[in-house]
Amino acid sequence: GIQIALTQPLLIGDIVVVEGEFGQIEEITLTYVTVRTWDLRRLVLPITYFVEKPFQNWSRVSTELLGTIILYLDYQVPMGELRKELKRLVENNPKWDRKVCGLQVTDAKQNTIEVRALVSSTDPGKGFDLRCEVREGLIQFLCRNYPESLPRVRYAEEPSDEEIQRGRRKDGATTISGIEHERGSKSPGVHA
């Protein structure tokens, strides 16, 4: 308790993440610390916990925070249009502090790409709400304007060996060796 009082790694009102729980320091005594979680539960931890184990203090120096929104989308997503929509969403939101707003493709998987939007806010509470509102807005935008950009399961039926030898697919169309992959607008999943 004395070490906490002298070094002050946390103060009443600080926003922390402890044991995977997000909350606010509500009480500090010589033997325990009470953390009020986001859903109004109380975590009571021994004071030694904060001396011996790492924890996140989101408001130690400043309450400013970057928020990450991850979306898994189809390879066809129009990134330029999505960036414009992100900018429109945050510019009209009072929770945005007007500092950071960006959108990047951060990974590519077999069936989807991972798109990360990054936005900033003045405190963790506003940041959480801003992230939720932006996520909802981007999903609604894609559903309304570019539904083919949402991830989906694709099924491609492969012809049997016998059908390949006969040069015909199951649907009766004749295959032409060497250009089967060049189906253009009839390629499954390319167009809505």
Side-chain angles (χ1 to χ4, degrees):
I2 293 170
Q3 186 174 358
I4 293 288
L6 292 174
T7 60
Q8 294 187 333
L10 63 135
L11 302 169
I12 291 177
D14 279 357
I15 298 164
V16 295
V17 177
V18 181
E19 294 289 312
E21 298 280 353
F22 174 85
Q24 189 169 19
I25 301 295
E26 191 171 66
E27 181 181 15
I28 303 172
T29 72
L30 288 175
T31 56
Y32 66 89
V33 173
T34 304
V35 179
R36 185 187 60 200
T37 62
W38 67 273
D39 59 357
L40 303 181
R41 290 177 294 126
R42 303 306 194 269
L43 283 177
V44 179
L45 298 163
I47 197 80
T48 55
Y49 178 93
F50 294 93
V51 175
E52 298 171 357
K53 295 186 179 181
F55 64 94
Q56 295 178 42
N57 187 333
W58 289 12
S59 56
R60 174 88 165 102
V61 176
S62 166
T63 58
E64 294 175 320
L65 192 65
L66 292 178
T68 302
I69 300 120
I70 301 291
L71 297 173
Y72 296 94
L73 303 172
D74 192 83
Y75 276 82
Q76 300 177 75
V77 67
M79 292 302 295
E81 295 301 314
L82 199 58
R83 282 187 182 96
K84 288 179 193 173
E85 181 63 11
L86 172 65
K87 190 74 168 168
R88 187 192 70 75
L89 287 169
V90 296
E91 283 178 347
N92 295 322
N93 195 316
K95 296 174 183 90
W96 184 49
D97 66 3
R98 309 189 90 56
K99 291 183 180 176
V100 177
C101 173
L103 188 76
Q104 295 177 311
V105 176
T106 53
D107 200 0
K109 308 275 188 214
Q110 182 177 354
N111 297 316
T112 60
I113 58 172
E114 181 182 273
V115 176
R116 182 187 73 183
L118 196 60
V119 294
S120 58
S121 63
T122 56
D123 67 66
K126 287 180 183 176
F128 179 81
D129 291 343
L130 178 62
R131 285 175 30 222
C132 292
E133 291 168 18
V134 167
R135 184 180 299 110
E136 289 173 18
L138 291 175
I139 291 170
Q140 287 174 357
F141 171 77
L142 290 171
C143 286
R144 189 174 49 250
N145 299 299
Y146 302 98
E148 68 277 5
S149 296
L150 299 171
R152 61 191 171 279
V153 177
R154 293 188 174 113
Y155 175 73
E157 194 172 315
E158 295 294 322
S160 69
D161 289 341
E162 184 179 300
E163 290 169 322
I164 291 171
Q165 288 175 358
R166 286 193 322 242
R168 299 190 69 72
R169 295 195 321 240
K170 287 183 181 179
D171 62 4
T174 303
T175 60
I176 300 171
S177 180
I179 62 167
E180 177 67 18
H181 66 284
E182 298 174 3
R183 294 183 187 147
S185 65
K186 294 183 181 177
S187 185
V190 172
H191 298 281

